[in-house]
Amino acid sequence: MKRLFLLLMCAGLLAVGCKMETDNGNVSAPSGNGQPDSGDKIILHSPLGYVYISGTGNPDIDYEILAMSSAGDGWYQYIIEASSAEIFFLIADDNWENISPVFYVTEGEWWYDRATGEMVDTKPELNDDAGGSGDISFLPAPEEVTATYSEQDGSIFLFWTPVPGAISYEIFYNTINAFENADSLDDLADYYTYITGAEAGVTYYFWIKAKNGTVVSDFSTYAQCRVPQKETLAAPTGVRATAISTDTVQVFWNPAEGASSYRIYYSTSNNTAYAQYTTAGGSSVYVSGLNSGTGYYFWVKSVGTSEISDFSLVSYAVTQEEKPTNW
């Protein structure tokens, strides 16, 4: 199988896009609870990095993840800018089974205390009893994997929902829908990439795994993308040359599908290696500056956005003789 190559984009901010349903009737508020005003910035710390932000039940909710980073001491920091009346946080534990209550908090810096299940405004101590070591013991598989072919540069744009707590991602690909024997690409930190080197006329299947050290998720669901068969730009047909003066020949041809312009080659020998050329945007051109009474060979090429056709069949014309001065 032909090897694929990655064009890695510059690392961006890690945005958390997963959404889970909430029940506003079961909202548990931390101490100092309030509703943030538009533009308030909330810093949320979690010992795992597994944070979901949900607006279900409040159609006016809006938020922006400004940054996510690890403090290096087991805590993950999220900076959120609220743009509406309420913002909800949903935090999962390291087994990904038990979900904490839903919180809404006011502007400021908040910490999720796993020992009590509360949001607090002072940093709690991490301890093993509370299961707050900060170690990642489970990663869910990435979701919403999409693969889209770009006609412009022939690359495949691969994208998936980022997994909180993941440090890198491994991409697998195959030309059949089977991950068991899929090839893998180099790990990358971003949750999107452009892939080049795919073969025309081939359907590719992609899977993603989230990784954090030795912890690796299951395969994601697959995304598939077919690379279109490249169509060769056809050379013009019906090329014909007609001498109209002692130094000018008019060349005609039939337009070629997909051509945006044409190159008209000409030479006094039937050999394209020695030909000069001029350009035209239509289906005919006047080639001037020729020698009188001389035979010329003409060929035409189609020119597309990123491709030039082969030479057309040759056409021949002889420029008119100059009349004697005493004629």
Side-chain angles (χ1 to χ4, degrees):
M1 183 188 303
K2 186 175 180 179
R3 181 73 173 170
L4 298 180
F5 298 93
L6 292 179
L7 289 178
L8 302 183
M9 299 185 69
C10 295
L13 297 178
L14 181 56
V16 182
C18 301
K19 295 183 183 294
M20 300 182 69
E21 291 192 5
T22 65
D23 182 351
N24 290 346
N26 295 327
V27 170
S28 174
S31 59
N33 165 67
Q35 296 183 351
D37 295 325
S38 177
D40 281 355
K41 290 183 180 178
I42 301 162
I43 300 177
L44 170 67
H45 299 267
S46 162
L48 288 173
Y50 296 155
V51 174
Y52 286 95
I53 299 177
S54 174
T56 304
N58 181 356
D60 297 325
I61 198 162
D62 190 13
Y63 59 87
E64 179 183 1
I65 303 289
L66 300 182
M68 172 185 175
S69 63
S70 173
D73 59 358
W75 292 95
Y76 284 83
Q77 173 179 288
Y78 304 78
I79 303 175
I80 300 98
E81 181 172 322
S83 309
S84 64
E86 295 176 314
I87 189 163
F88 297 85
F89 301 104
L90 209 60
I91 306 174
D93 71 6
D94 54 354
N95 294 319
W96 206 254
E97 295 174 353
N98 301 317
I99 304 297
S100 74
V102 179
F103 300 97
Y104 59 100
V105 298
T106 189
E107 181 180 18
E109 189 163 359
W110 296 90
W111 305 78
Y112 174 61
D113 188 350
R114 292 184 55 192
T116 63
E118 294 286 337
M119 293 292 292
V120 295
D121 54 9
T122 56
K123 182 178 179 179
E125 293 294 329
L126 291 174
N127 60 77
D128 293 336
D129 293 337
S133 65
D135 294 334
I136 299 295
S137 59
F138 173 80
L139 285 174
E143 298 179 347
E144 300 180 18
V145 183
T146 60
T148 307
Y149 178 75
S150 171
E151 292 282 357
Q152 184 174 0
D153 59 9
S155 66
I156 297 174
F157 179 59
L158 196 61
F159 177 87
W160 57 94
T161 300
V163 175
I167 294 176
S168 63
Y169 300 91
E170 187 172 7
I171 300 172
F172 296 82
Y173 71 96
N174 205 343
T175 54
I176 60 174
N177 190 4
F179 59 76
E180 293 82 2
N181 61 342
D183 293 319
S184 65
L185 299 172
D186 295 334
D187 289 3
L188 68 158
D190 290 316
Y191 49 91
Y192 52 84
T193 188
Y194 287 95
I195 298 177
T196 62
E199 297 182 17
V202 176
T203 298
Y204 288 91
Y205 298 84
F206 297 94
W207 299 264
I208 313 295
K209 281 188 174 183
K211 302 174 74 174
N212 185 330
T214 59
V215 180
V216 181
S217 75
D218 290 335
F219 284 99
S220 68
T221 55
Y222 73 88
Q224 70 182 71
C225 180
R226 178 171 178 79
V227 180
Q229 187 70 47
K230 186 175 182 180
E231 296 182 3
T232 302
L233 188 63
T237 60
V239 177
R240 54 202 183 278
T242 303
I244 61 173
S245 70
T246 57
D247 68 348
T248 302
V249 172
Q250 187 173 14
V251 184
F252 304 85
W253 59 89
N254 298 325
E257 184 177 356
S260 57
S261 62
Y262 300 90
R263 288 184 182 179
I264 300 86
Y265 294 79
Y266 56 98
S267 176
T268 56
S269 63
N270 191 8
N271 188 337
T272 58
Y274 302 104
Q276 299 175 275
Y277 75 85
T278 186
T279 60
S283 57
S284 69
V285 69
Y286 291 99
V287 181
S288 302
L290 306 177
N291 296 324
S292 63
T294 304
Y296 286 88
Y297 298 86
F298 295 88
W299 305 264
V300 183
K301 281 187 174 184
S302 304
V303 179
T305 303
S306 60
E307 186 180 5
I308 300 176
S309 74
D310 291 334
F311 286 98
S312 68
L313 295 178
V314 68
S315 182
Y316 181 75
V318 181
T319 56
Q320 297 174 7
E321 295 277 0
E322 288 189 359
K323 295 180 180 180
T325 55
N326 60 353
W327 180 261

